[in-house]
Amino acid sequence: MSEENNTGGYDSTKKNDDATGNFKEEAKSTAQEFKEGWNQATQNTGENKKLLAGLLGIFLGAFGVHKFILGYNKEGIILLVGTLVGIATSCLVIGIFLYIATGIVGLIEGIIYLTKSDEEFYNTYQVGKKPWF
């Protein structure tokens, strides 16, 4: 009778080990799938700056921040100076229009950036270096 208990105990231990082994394999598989999905979702973070440039264009476009992110320093300075001159001369009517114009340029560019596919954005603005729109 004690041998049967040992055998029965051995069988249940073996079943537990099998279940644990299966659980380990499933956990590894799930972790690997998560890792692959994460890598796919974030694969171009170092290269493709579409989301960052688009959002900055929409929210801070008047200051040219999105241009600086993409490496267009001359264009970024043009927007920044235009905005600062617009703010400085806001007591004149022309200053308000200048400030609004730079804001609209940033807004339009941000929307254009976000509506392009990742590949099209990368090829147009990062490889092709198209500075405006």
Side-chain angles (χ1 to χ4, degrees):
M1 188 162 176
S2 64
E3 287 180 17
E4 289 177 16
N5 286 343
N6 287 342
T7 305
Y10 175 74
D11 288 340
S12 66
T13 303
K14 185 175 180 181
K15 288 179 186 177
N16 287 340
D17 288 344
D18 290 343
T20 303
N22 289 340
F23 180 74
K24 283 182 181 180
E25 291 303 316
E26 288 178 29
K28 284 181 184 179
S29 173
T30 303
Q32 186 64 27
E33 288 175 15
F34 177 78
K35 181 180 176 185
E36 289 171 6
W38 177 260
N39 288 340
Q40 184 178 8
T42 60
Q43 69 185 2
N44 290 328
T45 55
E47 294 292 323
N48 196 341
K49 301 172 182 176
K50 175 185 154 183
L51 182 62
L52 179 62
L55 292 175
L56 288 173
I58 290 171
F59 295 111
L60 297 173
F63 297 99
V65 178
H66 61 292
K67 294 293 190 185
F68 291 113
I69 293 295
L70 293 174
Y72 302 129
N73 293 333
K74 183 175 81 173
E75 291 80 5
I77 290 171
I78 290 170
L79 284 173
L80 181 61
V81 168
T83 299
L84 294 177
V85 168
I87 291 171
T89 60
S90 64
C91 61
L92 306 173
V93 175
I94 189 119
I96 294 170
F97 286 119
L98 185 59
Y99 179 66
I100 290 172
T102 57
I104 290 172
V105 168
L107 177 68
I108 291 171
E109 286 186 333
I111 291 170
I112 290 172
Y113 293 168
L114 293 176
T115 57
K116 290 190 178 286
S117 69
D118 289 345
E119 188 174 323
E120 186 180 7
F121 174 84
Y122 181 76
N123 290 330
T124 303
Y125 297 105
Q126 290 182 256
V127 175
K129 294 292 184 184
K130 182 179 176 187
W132 298 103
F133 298 99

